Amino acid sequence: MSLASVLPLEAASPAYICPFDQACSYLEAAAKELRLDRGIIEILSHPRKVVTVSVPVKLDSGEIQVVAGHRVQHSDVLGPYKGGIRYHPAVTLREVSALAMLMTWKCALLGIPYGGAKGGIAIDPKRYSVGELERISRRYISELIKDIGPSVDIPAPDMGTSAREMAWMMDTYSVNVGHAVPGVVTGKPLSVGGSRGREMATGRGAMIIVREALADQGKSLAGVRVAIQGFGNVGSAAAELLYEAGAKIIAVSNSAGGVFSQDGLDIPKLKAYAAENRKSIVGYPQAVAISNADLLTLPCDVLIPAALENQITEENANQVQAQIVAEAANGPVTLEASLSLEARGVTVLPDILANAGGVVVSYLEWVQGLSYLFWDEERVNREMEHLMVQAYHQVIQQSKKRQVSLRLAAYTLGVGRVAQALTDRGLYP
């Protein structure tokens, strides 16, 4: 019995690749390589808990709307559950379940004492006022109040949410228990126990992994041509840090479209333009327009998909011209596309490694919150870089040892560590 059998099917176009099916295929591949016992695979194939709650909200118009909120807790073998909460129209229970499973392997790979979880509500946050979003966030977290906590499950921001939503959720939880609990969520504002360096963490982690991969090829970031799909929190942070390191960012894009410059974009000016235009980069005067699809096939050294899943598929993988693809988003390259790229000699840096900077700094924020002792940004960045570089080299060593791709190497490390801990803990009762 696989996890796919306990989750409802969802209608999709023929070209759609279910993130959950893909996550299960990664587990199966790692389990086969590790020769895991079938019983262990059976346990790891199922989430520990799946929660769906009704979230009623009074809109500004006075109308009552009810939306569904999900929280999937995949595994707590290594520690409390950890994972983001996303607000996006495409959120489904199967997607959230896939992301929860991937978070389990990601935390294990980075050596963080967490298990994987994920939450989400299928709404477009742009269609709601700030007051409506606050009411949705507070009611959603209050419905999950018995299923979260600093030693149980620690949510964080994800697509469509930010430090603002985390502050509302932390306050809601704290009011219900009667005292401030800064460790209940991460990604909070500094004023309520957030960590310095958290906002740039995922983009910084992606930059570090790209830097290490280039170093293995005898190159530095200076002069490297980079294209980035996605100019939200992750993509813009990666662009800024790579730009500061001397890389040439030739193209970036977001949901509305992208911009391209053969000579490289001035990232500080582009960020200022986006800030003045409701986060849109369309129409930026010092570049030419480019579509999201065309950005993926530009001639460049490094391609960073930092938006949605299933962006590089069998249909366009043979058109990708980058030598390094760093998955700053979750699942932007399908398994078939990844195999195609690797067969052509393209280095694919898997998501559970390349975008792990966010969960690393979330972990550091949690540690600071529990101890009520907060660090400066230099220390946070130093601690995060140590864990990211350590994980990268472990993946490289595993890849060489087993003669497998970097993706399979990363999954064998993550899955193997959880499987070993599960074996050591035993089965209750």
Side-chain angles (χ1 to χ4, degrees):
M1 182 179 181
S2 71
L3 180 51
S5 65
V6 300
L7 293 174
L9 294 174
E10 292 152 357
S13 66
Y16 177 77
I17 299 171
C18 175
F20 184 74
D21 292 341
Q22 187 157 295
C24 287
S25 70
Y26 294 150
L27 170 59
E28 290 288 344
K32 182 178 179 181
E33 177 68 25
L34 293 166
R35 299 181 181 179
L36 293 183
D37 178 82
R38 195 66 222 177
I40 296 292
I41 301 172
E42 187 76 0
I43 294 172
L44 297 179
S45 296
H46 292 74
R48 178 84 181 275
K49 183 181 286 190
V50 178
V51 181
T52 297
V53 297
S54 292
V55 182
V57 58
K58 180 178 285 189
L59 304 179
D60 292 343
S61 64
E63 176 188 356
I64 301 295
Q65 181 182 7
V66 179
V67 295
H70 306 297
R71 187 69 178 175
V72 175
Q73 297 170 336
H74 175 253
S75 171
D76 64 349
V77 172
L78 293 179
Y81 302 105
K82 187 79 185 81
I85 293 172
R86 63 173 50 184
Y87 293 171
H88 191 275
V91 164
T92 66
L93 184 55
R94 290 175 72 84
E95 178 198 43
V96 173
S97 298
L99 295 171
M101 182 187 288
L102 296 182
M103 182 61 80
T104 296
W105 318 139
K106 182 186 299 184
C107 293
L109 173 62
L110 271 294
I112 296 172
Y114 281 147
K118 206 74 173 185
I121 303 176
I123 59 171
D124 181 352
K126 297 176 184 177
R127 295 181 177 271
Y128 293 83
S129 69
V130 172
E132 290 168 341
L133 287 172
E134 180 174 0
R135 293 192 287 276
I136 290 171
S137 300
R138 288 183 180 275
R139 183 56 185 259
Y140 168 68
I141 214 68
S142 68
E143 293 291 341
L144 297 175
I145 206 83
K146 296 179 180 179
D147 296 299
I148 64 171
S151 60
V152 180
D153 184 353
I154 306 103
D158 200 279
M159 187 183 304
T161 59
S162 66
R164 179 184 66 183
E165 283 76 15
M166 294 306 106
W168 293 334
M169 292 179 184
M170 176 263 189
D171 179 70
T172 301
Y173 183 90
S174 298
V175 168
N176 275 272
V177 300
H179 58 90
V181 187
V184 69
V185 299
T186 59
K188 306 179 296 298
L190 291 175
S191 61
V192 292
S195 175
R196 300 184 186 280
R198 176 61 181 84
E199 186 176 353
M200 300 283 283
T202 308
R204 184 180 298 279
M207 180 274 290
I208 289 169
I209 297 301
V210 168
R211 183 196 69 199
E212 295 300 304
L214 286 167
D216 280 349
Q217 297 178 2
K219 302 176 184 177
S220 70
L221 288 170
V224 168
R225 298 170 63 79
V226 182
I228 302 175
Q229 185 199 48
F231 202 61
N233 176 267
V234 177
S236 63
E240 180 179 339
L241 293 167
L242 287 164
Y243 177 85
E244 290 174 357
K248 184 177 290 187
I249 315 300
I250 61 169
V252 300
S253 66
N254 59 19
S255 58
V259 291
F260 166 77
S261 172
Q262 185 69 33
D263 297 326
L265 298 162
D266 187 317
I267 297 302
K269 288 183 179 178
L270 182 60
K271 290 189 71 173
Y273 177 87
E276 295 172 359
N277 290 274
R278 298 182 178 180
K279 300 184 179 180
S280 175
I281 56 176
V282 175
Y284 179 64
Q286 294 173 291
V288 297
I290 189 172
S291 70
N292 268 292
D294 287 341
L295 179 144
L296 297 173
T297 61
L298 285 173
C300 60
D301 300 302
V302 179
L303 173 63
I304 303 178
L308 294 170
E309 67 271 2
N310 297 334
Q311 297 302 296
I312 302 177
T313 67
E314 284 183 286
E315 297 178 358
N316 63 356
N318 64 343
Q319 301 172 47
V320 171
Q321 299 184 62
Q323 291 304 301
I324 293 175
V325 176
E327 295 184 316
N330 288 308
V333 183
T334 67
L335 179 57
E336 293 77 11
S338 186
L339 294 173
S340 174
L341 292 170
E342 290 158 4
R344 293 199 286 116
V346 178
T347 298
V348 180
L349 302 169
D351 50 4
I352 64 169
L353 173 64
N355 70 20
V359 73
V360 171
V361 177
S362 277
Y363 164 63
L364 298 176
E365 178 181 333
W366 178 69
V367 169
Q368 293 171 77
L370 292 179
S371 65
Y372 289 87
L373 180 63
F374 294 89
W375 308 336
D376 60 30
E377 187 168 350
E378 181 181 355
R379 178 175 177 182
V380 172
N381 290 341
R382 184 174 67 250
E383 298 280 356
M384 185 265 276
E385 180 164 351
H386 169 72
L387 289 174
M388 294 294 293
V389 171
Q390 175 180 266
Y392 171 81
H393 288 294
Q394 288 173 349
V395 170
I396 294 298
Q397 291 168 8
Q398 182 82 330
S399 175
K400 292 177 179 177
K401 175 184 175 182
R402 292 184 175 273
Q403 293 296 296
V404 297
S405 69
L406 296 183
R407 185 184 305 282
L408 186 52
Y411 276 89
T412 55
L413 285 169
V415 172
R417 289 168 181 170
V418 178
Q420 184 61 55
L422 182 58
T423 301
D424 291 342
R425 286 182 58 163
L427 186 62
Y428 176 86

